[in-house]
Amino acid sequence: MSARDFHSLFYTDCGPGQGTRGTEGFQIQAMSAGTGQEDAALVQRAALYEVPPDWLRERRPVAEFPPSLVHLHDGRYVTARGVYADTEQDRVGNHFTHALVTDDPASYGGLRPAQLWQAPWWAERPVEGTECSPVPAEPEPGPHTAAELRDWVLARDDGHDWLTAVHTALDQVREPDARRVVFVGRHPDEVLRWIAAGTLLLPQERALRIGFRVYATDPRLSRQHVLALHPDWAGELDDDDFVVFHLGDRRRGAIEPSAAARHWVGRFLDGDPAAVVEELELAHRFARQRGAERADAGDRLAAGVLASGEPVPDQQAAMELAGWLAGTRAPEQAVDRVREAVLALPPERTVLARLAETAHDARVRVALLRAELAEAAAGEPAATSHLAAHRWSAEELSDATGLAEETAADTAPEHLDGVLRTAGRFGLEPRPTRFAQAAKDFIAWWAQHPQAPVDPRAWPCRAELIALLREELGSRLAEDSGALADAIREHWWRLLAPTVADPFLPLDRLVAQSAVAAGGEPRQQVIDALRDRTRAADRRGHADAVWEALFAHTPPTVAEVRSVLGAMSATMVSEALAERIFPVLESAPASADQLDVLRMLVHHLGSEHEGLRSMWEDDSALRAWLANFQRAARAPGAGVGELKEIADEVLTARGPEIVAALLSIPPPTAASAAVAGGARVQELLVRELPAVWADEQRPAADRTGAVALAFLTAWSDKATEGARVAFDKALEAWAKRRTSAEYRKVSKLLRGVDADSARAWHDWLKELFDAKPKSTAARLAERWRTRWSQRKG
């Protein structure tokens, strides 16, 4: 016996010693070798012939009792044929069932269980002994082949509609909350033909799991999904529980045909039924490969292409297949064949776009490009859907680019934008010289329609066309009465801002003024552009032209003035330009930028700008003081005087520079300069140094140096009392939030320049963290006494 052969079991009413139990009564009469008790139990539980009680009581003739066929799946597959066996020799009510059991669906070959009806090998009588022969795998079927069933259905006037309904009902019968299917008819052959035909149009895997019983005596007691009832036993059936097919008077329950039924039934009846069965199995295989239980339209269409060589019928089918190609896990050879079939239609742009989402096929890409260029040239909106990356070969790229250039050359001006964006979407770079007249016509049209929804950001030849636009607008601006200038201020300036280069050109001046007025990134962009070009400018009046282009209508910030003037030599700044800048400085608060601008314009400062001149003089004195203590760091002994008579606003404006300069020299020299600078410098450091050591973005050397400078300044007996007290408090707050490692960094810095300072730092820390800390005043007094004793010593 092959592992795929069916186990075979006989069940009937046995005499003494005739059955497997050895006693008389209904039981398994015989089993094939290897059949287990679980198989026997399953058969007895759900697959035996059912004798109608009423007919039994009426003692109807044996010939009136119809034979049965039962199928079920419950871990194992069981198919059983039963007959009524009441004869003169047998007791009333006797019946015989021959059951097949397997756990391998391949045992059925390509058959559906209903096709085993009337197979010649079914047994109807017991055998001698208790062992019977198994039934070979892939058994010989009955007469109901696919071709015979097709012809039988076609012979019925309503065969197509009935098969559609039967197939739909059988396909849905295992769904949650689905209605069971009932056939009411006198002839089991007719019932089983419908079941066989309906299940032939299901994948065999699903068909084998649909249980049926032909006949059942009571549908409430049967566990199968599909039942046949004799009209004498049917009674009333609830349409909410059953889909009922009355074979006698051709009535059937209402059911909406499924998409699968609409697809397969017509093909089965009009074509080669065996080929259609192969197709649906292939479609089911495609579905399972992508993890789906049921084939969808794409699976079915792909199976038709591959199994039958069918052409793709229409654009809807092509779109279904494009979706199938995107999600299938079919072999690459199958994928290529289906794609070829779609391309042969030929497909519409929407289908090609769906194909291109995943396909890396140059044919798809070129076909989509051609379709999209044609639509764009006709004025259709340019496509924006995702387009998978594609690497063109050199030949493909040349051909595709040529196609884009040819299309552009023949496109109306108002539609060229879409053609260019389409070319860019495909990674092409058409050359405007290849469609020069179309480009010129487009620019002329665009200049007349500034509000047109044109999007140059996606043009691959954007720079060349923007250059043409600049030329066109510049030419028109020279003759325009004002409408074009308004259009530039409203529409064009943002596009043209990155191209601003010449402050003498009316177009650039107008664009720059609009960008500066708008603020933000465009403002900074044009300021930077004109500033950078100023460095190499040698044209007379260039500085005034730049100012006019940037700030004629929108005042600058002081920082912007400093940035622009920084690119100009002193000789480039005219008296008139200086007079336009001074009001900006006078209206702004003091800042380092303001002081730097004053240094650039000092030769233009007259008596009428007394306030600005005074600030410049204070700044000059401050800068001289900075130079002195930096010189003292290089040549010890150089004098560093006290800062006096300098305005607070100037001192504050230069505060960061003063701190940076002090931190750039050794701490003792810096502390001496700070002390020599007097109370105002020390007050400045009290404000600035804590901000330095608290800024984690500053270099570690700056933060450590700021602490060291604060400590040495506070330690000096020449520092003001206010500075000593303020630094002591600030350093105490710093020390209580820091680690020993940071203390050691300050100690190492001080030790490198002065041992006494390092020792004083160590003593200060020890005193700060003493068990009985002293007040700030007490610590200062102690420090002064220590300092005095050191000096006497």
Side-chain angles (χ1 to χ4, degrees):
M1 173 179 174
S2 166
R4 293 174 54 213
D5 289 349
F6 288 96
H7 293 296
S8 190
L9 302 92
F10 296 166
Y11 181 95
T12 190
D13 188 7
C14 298
Q18 187 182 18
T20 56
R21 288 206 316 260
T23 59
E24 65 178 343
F26 282 102
Q27 60 190 285
I28 299 295
Q29 188 269 316
M31 297 187 295
S32 60
T35 304
Q37 291 302 316
E38 291 183 0
D39 296 339
L42 179 59
V43 168
Q44 292 179 88
R45 186 169 63 247
L48 299 178
Y49 182 87
E50 291 185 358
V51 179
D54 291 345
W55 285 18
L56 189 62
R57 286 191 294 270
E58 296 171 8
R59 299 299 300 270
R60 294 248 186 139
V62 172
E64 292 187 18
F65 286 79
S68 71
L69 190 69
V70 178
H71 177 77
L72 66 99
H73 173 258
D74 188 358
R76 291 174 174 82
Y77 300 92
V78 177
T79 306
R81 181 178 182 273
V83 294
Y84 185 69
D86 185 14
T87 67
E88 292 181 359
Q89 291 78 26
D90 296 319
R91 287 186 290 275
V92 174
N94 189 17
H95 54 88
F96 181 90
T97 297
H98 178 190
L100 310 182
V101 181
T102 183
D103 57 7
D104 185 358
S107 299
Y108 288 87
L111 298 174
R112 282 27 173 195
Q115 290 182 278
L116 299 180
W117 176 249
Q118 295 183 352
W121 41 261
W122 288 111
E124 296 186 354
R125 305 292 297 177
V127 295
E128 293 292 332
T130 58
E131 182 174 328
C132 59
S133 300
V135 173
E138 301 185 33
E140 179 184 355
H144 301 327
T145 63
E148 191 270 346
L149 288 168
R150 185 269 316 273
D151 295 341
W152 181 81
V153 172
L154 284 174
R156 276 142 184 78
D157 293 338
D158 54 358
H160 182 284
D161 292 343
W162 265 68
L163 182 55
T164 301
V166 168
H167 174 271
T168 299
L170 295 178
D171 194 18
Q172 297 174 353
V173 77
R174 288 182 60 89
E175 296 294 326
D177 301 324
R179 294 179 293 170
R180 290 200 287 172
V181 177
V182 172
F183 292 91
V184 179
R186 296 184 179 279
H187 307 292
D189 186 72
E190 184 179 11
V191 174
L192 285 161
R193 284 176 183 274
W194 284 120
I195 295 176
T199 53
L200 263 177
L201 298 183
L202 296 176
Q204 189 196 37
E205 178 185 21
R206 188 175 305 130
L208 291 176
R209 293 174 179 269
I210 295 176
F212 59 82
R213 174 178 287 278
V214 181
Y215 283 94
T217 57
D218 187 341
R220 295 169 299 178
L221 301 179
S222 294
R223 58 190 299 181
Q224 278 81 1
H225 309 95
V226 181
L227 303 173
L229 301 178
H230 193 281
D232 294 351
W233 318 332
E236 294 294 328
L237 297 171
D238 191 341
D239 288 341
D240 292 336
D241 296 327
F242 303 100
V243 179
V244 183
F245 294 89
H246 295 272
L247 303 184
D249 56 10
R250 312 303 293 166
R251 291 182 297 115
R252 55 186 172 87
I255 186 168
E256 181 67 25
S258 67
R262 286 194 295 268
H263 180 87
W264 294 120
V265 169
R267 297 169 67 81
F268 178 77
L269 297 178
D270 297 338
D272 179 351
V276 171
V277 172
E278 290 182 9
E279 272 186 43
L280 70 89
E281 292 292 355
L282 181 58
H284 179 64
R285 192 180 314 139
F286 289 149
R288 296 305 298 267
Q289 285 172 345
R290 59 183 172 81
E293 288 294 324
R294 293 178 177 276
D296 61 15
D299 296 319
R300 293 189 287 269
L301 289 165
V305 169
L306 295 169
S308 303
E310 293 186 350
V312 179
D314 51 38
Q315 297 298 331
Q316 181 178 353
M319 182 60 81
E320 293 284 359
L321 285 171
W324 181 85
L325 287 165
T328 188
R329 296 182 180 178
E332 191 61 33
Q333 184 179 11
V335 169
D336 288 342
R337 286 181 57 195
V338 171
R339 187 182 298 122
E340 289 277 2
V342 174
L343 290 175
L345 183 57
E348 294 176 347
R349 183 192 64 79
T350 52
V351 177
L352 290 166
R354 185 75 174 97
L355 285 174
E357 290 177 9
T358 54
H360 300 281
D361 188 318
R363 295 167 303 167
V364 172
R365 190 59 57 107
V366 171
L368 177 61
L369 171 64
R370 190 181 302 277
E372 289 196 9
L373 286 173
E375 289 192 358
E380 296 293 329
T384 58
S385 60
H386 169 73
L387 194 60
H390 178 77
R391 178 173 294 180
W392 298 99
S393 70
E395 183 178 359
E396 292 167 354
L397 182 61
S398 177
D399 292 345
T401 302
L403 177 60
E405 292 168 346
E406 292 170 8
T407 305
D410 293 333
T411 297
E414 61 270 25
H415 300 154
L416 187 61
D417 165 64
V419 170
L420 294 177
R421 282 191 281 143
T422 298
R425 182 168 179 262
F426 283 80
L428 307 177
E429 297 184 8
R431 294 150 291 189
T433 54
R434 300 297 180 92
F435 53 97
Q437 186 59 49
K440 182 179 179 181
D441 294 344
F442 166 67
I443 293 299
W445 170 83
W446 192 16
Q448 293 177 326
H449 299 84
Q451 294 179 321
V454 173
D455 186 9
R457 292 172 299 177
W459 296 348
C461 48
R462 182 174 184 271
E464 295 94 326
L465 292 178
I466 295 301
L468 292 176
L469 177 66
R470 280 182 53 85
E471 183 180 343
E472 180 74 17
L473 292 178
S475 174
R476 292 182 180 224
L477 192 60
E479 306 171 0
D480 191 83
S481 60
L484 181 58
D486 291 340
I488 291 171
R489 292 189 189 96
E490 185 175 356
H491 300 289
W492 297 115
W493 73 265
R494 191 176 295 276
L495 176 64
L496 298 175
T499 69
V500 168
D502 188 346
F504 290 97
L505 290 178
L507 178 62
D508 280 5
R509 189 162 56 246
L510 190 56
V511 170
Q513 289 169 357
S514 301
V516 171
E521 184 178 349
R523 176 180 179 127
Q524 190 62 52
Q525 187 178 41
V526 297
I527 290 174
D528 291 347
L530 291 182
R531 177 202 62 202
D532 294 343
R533 286 169 174 78
T534 297
R535 299 184 192 279
D538 58 1
R539 190 172 179 182
R540 183 182 180 87
H542 185 89
D544 296 84
V546 168
W547 185 272
E548 181 68 21
L550 295 175
F551 307 123
H553 305 297
T554 306
T557 66
V558 174
E560 290 170 341
V561 174
R562 184 187 185 285
S563 174
V564 172
L565 289 186
M568 301 178 183
S569 64
T571 57
M572 294 179 69
V573 181
S574 66
E575 191 69 31
L577 178 56
E579 289 300 322
R580 298 178 75 173
I581 294 173
F582 288 141
V584 177
L585 302 180
E586 289 170 337
S587 63
S591 65
D593 286 334
Q594 182 192 47
L595 297 174
D596 289 342
V597 172
L598 284 175
R599 290 178 59 220
M600 299 176 193
L601 301 179
V602 62
H603 298 299
H604 299 282
L605 279 171
S607 58
E608 67 274 21
H609 302 295
E610 183 177 349
L612 294 178
R613 174 167 285 279
S614 176
M615 289 180 66
W616 171 78
E617 290 172 349
D618 284 358
D619 186 47
S620 297
L622 176 58
R623 294 177 63 83
W625 182 83
L626 283 171
N628 280 340
F629 80 69
Q630 288 174 318
R631 192 162 50 248
R634 298 190 299 270
V640 180
E642 182 176 356
L643 281 177
K644 296 179 180 180
E645 308 298 333
I646 292 179
D648 288 340
E649 59 181 355
V650 174
L651 194 64
T652 299
R654 292 295 188 192
E657 296 175 50
I658 295 172
V659 170
L662 289 172
L663 292 178
S664 69
I665 62 177
T669 306
S672 297
V675 170
R680 299 176 69 201
V681 173
Q682 294 165 44
E683 291 170 2
L684 174 68
L685 294 180
V686 166
R687 293 194 304 270
E688 297 287 341
L689 289 179
V692 173
W693 69 56
D695 185 357
E696 298 295 333
Q697 303 304 314
R698 295 287 291 260
D702 282 358
R703 300 200 303 272
T704 302
V707 175
L709 177 56
F711 177 75
L712 292 177
T713 302
W715 187 254
S716 172
D717 54 6
K718 293 181 180 180
T720 66
E721 181 177 356
R724 290 197 298 270
V725 171
F727 274 134
D728 199 75
K729 288 182 177 179
L731 288 167
E732 179 179 336
W734 174 88
K736 290 183 176 179
R737 292 194 298 269
R738 300 296 171 167
T739 64
S740 298
E742 291 174 289
Y743 304 156
R744 287 193 295 272
K745 288 181 182 179
V746 178
S747 180
K748 181 179 180 180
L749 177 61
L750 293 174
R751 193 165 54 248
V753 294
D754 180 50
D756 288 343
S757 298
R759 190 163 46 250
W761 169 253
H762 177 76
D763 292 342
W764 179 80
L765 286 173
K766 183 178 180 182
E767 181 182 336
L768 177 63
F769 292 105
D770 192 11
K772 295 181 179 180
K774 301 175 182 178
S775 66
T776 299
R779 283 201 306 276
L780 287 171
E782 178 66 25
R783 188 177 65 197
W784 292 335
R785 285 196 297 273
T786 302
R787 184 72 168 175
W788 177 253
S789 64
Q790 290 174 348
R791 299 178 88 185
K792 285 184 68 179

